[in-house]
């Protein structure tokens, strides 16, 4: 069973990388969200918190599911009408956001506020993922935003001493 867990985590990390998202990209979003609130914030601290979020099974499951669907949509392998809905990233679809929300609150509800904020501003890697000419990232953009939001909550909690032991 332990081998299987490792395989899920390694594959989730590999797929993120293959889709053009690095730990550093996500850490930059965390930095963007937290620099105003955390004194002497370092990129290392941001990366450490992203890595902790990525070690969570529910996060790995969301990554695998979302990226798989994005890829199948790119290859036009989904059935009608889902193919078109995901390909066009239709605003009323909403399942991409639901999957992201399963990540956002793992470290408490400030994750939700952070997620809404970067989803609106789309800094850094999120802007790149939203460029439709760069492939289908209907799920991935929300998942990456959610990982950054959760890592920011974790960082904030570790600052005020209420960090959970994980
Ligand atoms: Mg989306």
């Amino acid at each position: 069973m332990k081998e299987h867990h490792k395989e899920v985590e390694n594959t989730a990390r590999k797929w993120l990388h293959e889709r053009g998202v690095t730990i550093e990209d996500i850490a930059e979003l965390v930095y963007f969200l937290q620099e105003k609130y955390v004194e002497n914030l370092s990129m290392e601290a941001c990366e450490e918190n992203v890595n902790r979020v990525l070690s969570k099974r529910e996060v790995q499951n969301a990554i695998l599911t979302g990226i798989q669907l994005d890829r199948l949509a790119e290859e036009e392998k989904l059935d009608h009408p889902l193919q078109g809905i995901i390909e066009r990233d239709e605003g009323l679809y909403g399942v991409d956001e639901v999957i992201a929300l399963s990540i956002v609150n793992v470290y408490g509800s400030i994750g939700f506020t952070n997620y809404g904020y970067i989803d609106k501003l789309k800094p850094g890697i999120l802007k790149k993922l939203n460029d439709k000419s760069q492939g289908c990232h209907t799920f991935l953009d929300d998942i990456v935003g959610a990982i950054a939001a959760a890592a920011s909550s974790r960082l904030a909690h570790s600052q005020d001493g209420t960090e959970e032991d994980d």
Side-chain angles (χ1 to χ4, degrees):
M1 205 53 199
K2 211 163 173 230
E3 280 302 298
H4 176 63
H5 278 214
K6 206 65 217 159
E7 193 192 358
V8 172
E9 175 164 358
N10 290 342
T11 309
R13 287 175 176 274
K14 183 167 154 255
W15 285 14
L16 269 182
H17 201 84
E18 284 172 4
R19 301 296 285 174
V21 179
T22 65
I23 304 295
E24 206 185 352
D25 289 329
I26 310 176
E28 276 168 12
L29 298 177
V30 178
Y31 193 91
F32 173 85
L33 283 167
Q34 292 299 308
E35 64 173 331
K36 304 184 272 307
Y37 309 110
V38 179
E39 232 178 290
N40 304 318
L41 179 61
S42 68
M43 271 298 282
E44 287 72 28
C46 295
E47 279 181 32
E48 158 71 10
N49 281 282
V50 170
N51 277 313
R52 291 298 196 102
V53 173
L54 290 176
S55 72
K56 293 232 159 205
R57 188 56 186 274
E58 57 264 58
V59 176
Q60 297 155 12
N61 287 337
I63 292 169
L64 293 180
T65 307
I67 290 178
Q68 183 77 80
L69 285 163
D70 281 346
R71 268 203 191 122
L72 289 171
E74 263 175 25
E75 294 162 7
E76 296 185 30
K77 283 183 176 154
L78 298 170
D79 288 338
H80 174 79
L82 191 60
Q83 174 64 40
I85 292 170
I86 294 182
E87 212 183 305
R88 290 188 297 273
D89 196 4
E90 279 186 11
L92 291 175
Y93 176 56
V95 180
D96 44 349
E97 277 117 29
V98 174
I99 289 182
L101 289 180
S102 69
I103 297 174
V104 165
N105 289 324
V106 266
Y107 294 107
S109 55
I110 33 165
F112 189 75
T113 316
N114 287 330
Y115 174 72
Y117 185 66
I118 43 172
D119 185 51
K120 212 175 142 208
L121 293 180
K122 301 201 191 305
I125 184 74
L126 294 182
K127 191 167 177 239
K128 221 166 108 190
L129 291 175
N130 264 278
D131 179 350
K132 298 269 186 299
S133 68
Q134 303 292 310
C136 176
H137 301 296
T138 295
F139 285 87
L140 188 57
D141 66 333
D142 295 289
I143 289 169
V144 167
I147 295 168
S152 297
S153 313
R154 194 181 181 282
L155 188 92
H157 285 307
S158 68
Q159 290 297 308
D160 70 12
T162 57
E163 182 180 359
E164 273 168 57
D165 215 9
D166 64 346

